[in-house]
């Protein structure tokens, strides 16, 4: 285990520090003699080779992917998926078709790709619908916003009606207050009777 860790560290130094393509491939091949059955080992090896390559390394990387497919035991399906992705990105149309015939995508992978495509289509449709419902850049009110505005308008109307009712009752209140004040004016606290108002 210690030897494998040392080889992994050496390979990364050659790839990411020295950027020595040949040395990276040599050390990686030595490492894969021990870690060839593990998907993570091949992923580290291929990533290091891709980083250190300065020219066209398509043929070398393709050979590494095919070796990984034949040797990986823990995640073989993922190794095939990575190779197909590599062919889509770096290969030709013919090489990609050959890879798909040789290593057809697994049903689960196809299902995931289909789900992603459907989600993207739904997002695009929603975006188009929103653009159609929002002409001239004006935002349409949602149901919640409309309900909030209606509630605020109802409260405002109720406050206005209350103010109007108070205004209507104000003259009667003033008249009552005036009559009460007139009665108090003719009341003599020292006597037991009210003074009658002087005749007009």
């Amino acid at each position: 285990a210690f030897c494998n860790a040392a080889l992994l560290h050496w390979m990364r130094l050659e790839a990411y520090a020295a950027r020595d393509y040949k040395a990276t491939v040599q050390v990686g091949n030595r490492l894969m003699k021990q870690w060839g059955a593990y998907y993570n080992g091949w992923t580290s090896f291929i990533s290091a080779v891709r980083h250190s390559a300065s020219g066209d390394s398509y043929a070398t990387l393709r050979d590494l992917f095919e070796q990984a497919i034949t040797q990986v035991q823990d995640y073989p399906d993922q190794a095939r998926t990575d190779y197909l992705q590599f062919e889509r990105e770096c290969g030709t149309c013919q090489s990609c078709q050959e890879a798909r015939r040789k290593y057809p995508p697994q049903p689960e992978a196809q299902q995931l790709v289909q789900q992603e495509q459907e989600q993207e289509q739904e997002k695009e449709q929603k975006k188009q619908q929103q653009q159609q419902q929002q002409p001239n850049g004006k935002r349409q009110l949602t149901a919640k916003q409309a309900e909030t505005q209606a509630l605020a308008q109802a409260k405002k109307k109720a406050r206005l009606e209350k103010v109007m009712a108070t205004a209507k009752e104000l003259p009667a209140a003033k008249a009552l207050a005036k009559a009460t004040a007139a009665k108090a004016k003719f009341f003599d606290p020292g006597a037991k009777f009210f003074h009658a108002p002087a005749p007009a």
Side-chain angles (χ1 to χ4, degrees):
F2 179 76
C3 180
N4 294 338
L7 286 173
L8 178 62
H9 183 66
W10 183 10
M11 181 187 71
R12 287 175 174 172
L13 285 176
E14 296 291 355
Y16 300 102
R19 296 183 69 89
D20 190 333
Y21 172 73
K22 292 183 179 180
T24 302
V25 174
Q26 290 176 357
V27 178
N29 284 327
R30 290 178 59 183
L31 180 63
M32 289 305 101
K33 291 180 180 179
Q34 305 294 329
W35 279 4
Y38 301 104
Y39 169 77
N40 289 338
W42 280 104
T43 301
S44 300
F45 183 22
I46 293 172
S47 297
V49 172
R50 296 185 75 168
H51 184 80
S52 62
S54 57
D56 185 11
S57 59
Y58 168 77
T60 303
L61 290 170
R62 183 177 182 178
D63 292 340
L64 292 178
F65 274 111
E66 289 184 347
Q67 291 179 37
I69 291 172
T70 58
Q71 296 183 31
V72 169
Q73 297 180 5
D74 52 355
Y75 299 106
D77 294 340
Q78 187 61 44
R80 285 192 290 268
T81 302
D82 291 350
Y83 173 54
L84 294 175
Q85 182 67 26
F86 166 74
E87 286 292 349
R88 283 194 293 268
E89 294 176 354
C90 304
T92 62
C93 182
Q94 183 178 357
S95 66
C96 185
Q97 291 177 355
E98 291 177 356
R100 289 178 66 87
R101 284 194 297 266
K102 190 174 181 180
Y103 306 106
Q106 299 299 314
E108 293 181 358
Q110 290 180 342
Q111 198 172 24
L112 289 174
V113 172
Q114 186 177 0
Q115 289 177 356
E116 291 178 357
Q117 292 176 351
E118 290 176 355
Q119 290 176 358
E120 290 179 358
Q121 291 177 358
E122 288 179 0
K123 289 180 181 179
E124 188 65 24
Q125 290 176 358
K126 288 181 180 178
K127 187 176 180 181
Q128 292 178 358
Q129 290 176 358
Q130 289 177 356
Q131 290 176 353
Q132 292 176 358
Q133 293 175 359
Q134 299 174 3
N136 301 325
K138 293 182 179 180
R139 297 172 55 188
Q140 298 291 333
L141 294 177
T142 62
K144 188 174 182 180
Q145 290 175 333
E147 184 180 356
T148 303
Q149 283 194 359
L151 183 60
Q153 291 177 356
K155 289 183 178 179
K156 185 177 180 180
K157 184 178 179 181
R159 287 196 299 268
L160 183 61
E161 290 177 352
K162 187 175 181 181
V163 170
M164 293 297 293
T166 304
K168 290 179 180 179
E169 295 175 357
L170 187 59
K174 285 183 178 180
L176 180 61
K178 188 175 181 181
T180 304
K183 288 182 179 180
K185 183 178 180 182
F186 297 103
F187 175 70
D188 186 359
K192 295 183 179 180
F193 56 87
F194 286 97
H195 290 288

